[in-house]
Amino acid sequence: METQIINLVIDCLVPIITAAAGWLAGKRKRRNDFLKNMQESIDILSMENKRLIEDLTNVNREVVALRKENGELKYSVDQLCRENVQLKTEVQDLRKQITNAPA
């Protein structure tokens, strides 16, 4: 009878002990998996952030270059406008000379 009780206790305790050990081991693995997943997410986000910063830097360089070009073009247009005014004045003077010239 004692053997039956010991067998019954062993039959009940062994699954409980193995279940507890499995749960504890699983808890650690789940926590490690969670941390691993979070680290992977952080790595992906940092790579994306790095790419976006590089894109932004390139766009800023382009904007600076375009502003410089725009300034140069504005200067050229202003210069051409001044020349145009001078040429108009010269044309008017020449027309006056032609109309006032003796025939």
Side-chain angles (χ1 to χ4, degrees), residues 4-100:
Q4 289 178 343
I5 293 175
I6 292 175
N7 284 340
L8 182 63
V9 169
I10 289 175
D11 287 344
C12 291
L13 285 180
V14 169
I16 292 172
I17 292 172
T18 55
W23 180 80
L24 289 173
K27 179 180 176 185
R28 183 174 180 193
K29 183 181 180 333
R30 283 190 301 275
R31 195 172 89 202
N32 287 343
D33 287 346
F34 174 72
L35 292 175
K36 181 182 174 191
N37 288 339
M38 287 190 69
Q39 186 62 47
E40 288 172 356
S41 296
I42 290 170
D43 292 343
I44 290 170
L45 289 172
S46 13
M47 286 174 54
E48 181 67 14
N49 190 38
K50 180 182 176 185
R51 188 189 63 78
L52 289 173
I53 287 173
E54 288 173 357
D55 289 349
L56 183 62
T57 303
N58 291 336
V59 168
N60 283 340
R61 281 190 196 121
E62 248 182 81
V63 167
V64 168
L66 288 173
R67 284 184 179 172
K68 180 181 176 187
E69 183 181 347
N70 192 26
E72 292 169 355
L73 290 173
K74 282 182 179 180
Y75 178 77
S76 296
V77 167
D78 289 343
Q79 203 171 17
L80 288 173
C81 286
R82 285 191 298 275
E83 287 178 20
N84 194 20
V85 167
Q86 287 175 350
L87 289 173
K88 281 182 181 179
T89 305
E90 286 179 26
V91 167
Q92 286 175 353
D93 290 345
L94 289 172
R95 282 187 181 158
K96 284 181 187 176
Q97 286 177 3
I98 290 174
T99 55
N100 291 337

